[in-house]
Amino acid sequence: MDDNVVKRFENFIMPEPMSGCWLWNGALSGAGYGQMGVNGKIEYAHRISYIIHNGEIPSGMVVRHTCDNPACANPHHLIIGTMKDNCDDMFRRGRNRHVALKGEDNRAAILTESKVKRIMKMYGKGIMIVSIASKYGVTASAVSNVIRGISWNHVTGLKNRRLKNNRIYQNIQA
Ligand SMILES: [Zn+2]
């Protein structure tokens, strides 16, 4: 990885103080994995992170999350595994059934349309993302996805915006 890639990677990182996850403040795949362009190709952020911090990924192996948060790129939450390990993880977590971040029709969702509207109001008043998350019993990642227009965008009308500040415990008005 050249310095330019490392710099761009670091620009997209948004450390989340409770979980220690490094949330990805850039493009996310449909399944919620961070993505970044490298040499004209779209690469997964967690794979880039692994390579930056640990070196090449052994051939035939995959990079897995120990934190069950696909948007996380913290190298301490990443381990090497086999494709079979990865499938086992997905089956165990049921992620294969609920990859979309649509709305109330997603059975895994705890948020509701009215909660989403209240979250936007709280964020507008300058309340920190982590405080909003603990009020609604969801992860900071879930709140950040709402505010960024990644989930619930049919309610908020927002689309894939980056948070201006990469610190999730601060609230810089967009
Ligand atoms: Zn993590």
Side-chain angles (χ1 to χ4, degrees), residues 39 47 50 64 139 170:
N39 301 327
R47 291 176 60 87
Y50 187 91
R64 302 161 63 205
T139 60
Q170 290 171 1

Side-chain angles (χ1 to χ4, degrees), residues 6-14 24-25 162 166:
V6 175
K7 239 176 242 159
R8 282 174 46 234
F9 172 86
E10 284 169 351
N11 241 331
F12 282 118
I13 288 307
M14 189 161 62
W24 191 248
N25 196 13
R162 284 188 68 184
N166 277 16

Side-chain angles (χ1 to χ4, degrees), residues 66-144:
T66 56
C67 58
D68 199 23
N69 182 356
C72 174
N74 183 343
H76 297 111
H77 294 182
L78 300 173
I79 52 166
I80 281 289
T82 63
M83 196 64 97
K84 187 184 176 302
D85 292 333
N86 225 22
C87 291
D88 292 348
D89 289 349
M90 292 224 323
F91 185 76
R92 187 162 42 81
R93 293 162 185 166
R95 203 191 287 150
N96 51 343
R97 286 180 293 129
H98 296 296
V99 289
L101 300 160
K102 258 276 176 288
E104 285 176 57
D105 57 343
N106 176 348
R107 273 183 288 156
I110 297 167
L111 292 174
T112 59
E113 195 166 325
S114 69
K115 282 181 187 171
V116 165
K117 286 176 181 163
R118 273 178 280 153
I119 284 172
M120 291 311 297
K121 232 176 244 171
M122 287 173 81
Y123 182 70
K125 283 181 188 160
I127 296 167
M128 294 184 300
I129 290 174
V130 286
S131 307
I132 300 173
S134 76
K135 176 169 164 60
Y136 289 102
V138 296
T139 60
S141 182
V143 173
S144 142

